[in-house]
């Protein structure tokens, strides 16, 4: 068979993805050891895996150095790469939302310009354009909830999972942009050249995830 290369988002998603693949008999013992290595080959030699920074996974897949990528829908939307999204893996569930202090509800509906802090400028820009509101977007790299608390922004666009970070910082969800979860993306050329291998694998992963529900 053609060797298949996976780009995995380092961390929790990579671990979950490897559990799903293990259920299909695809194992990689080396990845289970304490190691700083980034590139691995499966025990049977048929698959390669590399551990990438989350936001880089769509890039590796777009350029075809990875056939398949496993990454969150938030990253797929924000990176906006030319890749095929073929499967919702169902884990890593959360949502993209507009959040802020409770008193910002009126401003959001007022038609006045809104200052938005976010790690996801493209998602935020698209959303406010679609909902026909004028915004100034301020890109942050983390701890976005600080934005409204210290007065940098009116609201944030960010991931909400348990809601704990918002709650502990006195913020609430004002608008849900969309639900998110881990997805499987595929390179368009790989989908043709390695059609049989990729098609079979995606199908088996889908069945396996369905059984786990
Ligand atoms: C994410 C996200 C929120 C938080 C949401 O941040 O940006 O801040 O998790 O999770 P919760 O709803 O379960 O509280 P992350 O932990 O990745 O850190 P960061 O803010 O430094 O990017």
């Amino acid at each position: 068979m053609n060797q298949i290369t996976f780009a995995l988002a380092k961390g929790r998603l990579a671990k979950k993805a490897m559990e799903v693949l293990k259920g299909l008999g695809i194992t990689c013992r080396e990845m289970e050891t304490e190691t700083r290595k980034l590139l691995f080959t499966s025990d049977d030699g048929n698959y390669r895996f590399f551990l990438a920074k989350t936001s880089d996974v769509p890039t590796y897949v777009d350029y075809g150095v990875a056939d398949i990528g496993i990454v969150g829908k938030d990253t797929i939307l924000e990176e906006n790469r030319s890749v095929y999204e073929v499967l919702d893996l169902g884990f890593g569930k959360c949502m993209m939302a507009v959040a802020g202090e409770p008193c910002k509800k009126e401003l959001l509906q007022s038609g006045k310009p809104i200052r938005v802090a976010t790690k996801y400028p493209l998602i935020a820009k698209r959303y406010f354009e679609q909902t026909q509101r004028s915004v100034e977007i301020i890109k942050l790299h983390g701890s976005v909830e600080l934005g409204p608390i210290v007065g940098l922004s009116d609201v944030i666009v960010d991931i909400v999972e348990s809601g704990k970070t918002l709650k502990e910082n006195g913020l609430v969800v004002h608008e849900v942009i969309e639900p998110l979860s881990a997805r499987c993306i595929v390179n368009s050329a790989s989908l043709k050249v390695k059609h049989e291998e990729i098609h079979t694998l995606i199908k088996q992963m889908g069945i396996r995830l369905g059984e786990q529900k």
Side-chain angles (χ1 to χ4, degrees), residues 10-30:
K10 237 193 291 185
R12 223 157 23 124
L13 285 194
K15 268 203 180 130
K16 288 285 280 179
M18 290 311 290
E19 276 170 30
V20 176
L21 292 174
K22 202 172 187 176
L24 304 180
I26 301 168
T27 55
C28 180
R29 266 169 296 172
E30 196 183 11

Side-chain angles (χ1 to χ4, degrees), residues 74-105:
D74 51 316
T75 306
I76 299 170
L77 291 169
E78 185 62 28
E79 295 304 314
N80 202 25
R81 289 276 172 182
S82 175
V83 294
Y84 285 112
E85 185 185 318
V86 293
L87 186 66
D88 183 346
L89 297 164
F91 49 77
K93 278 191 180 163
C94 52
M95 64 178 170
M96 188 63 70
V98 180
E101 288 167 345
C103 64
K104 293 295 175 189
K105 196 171 185 64

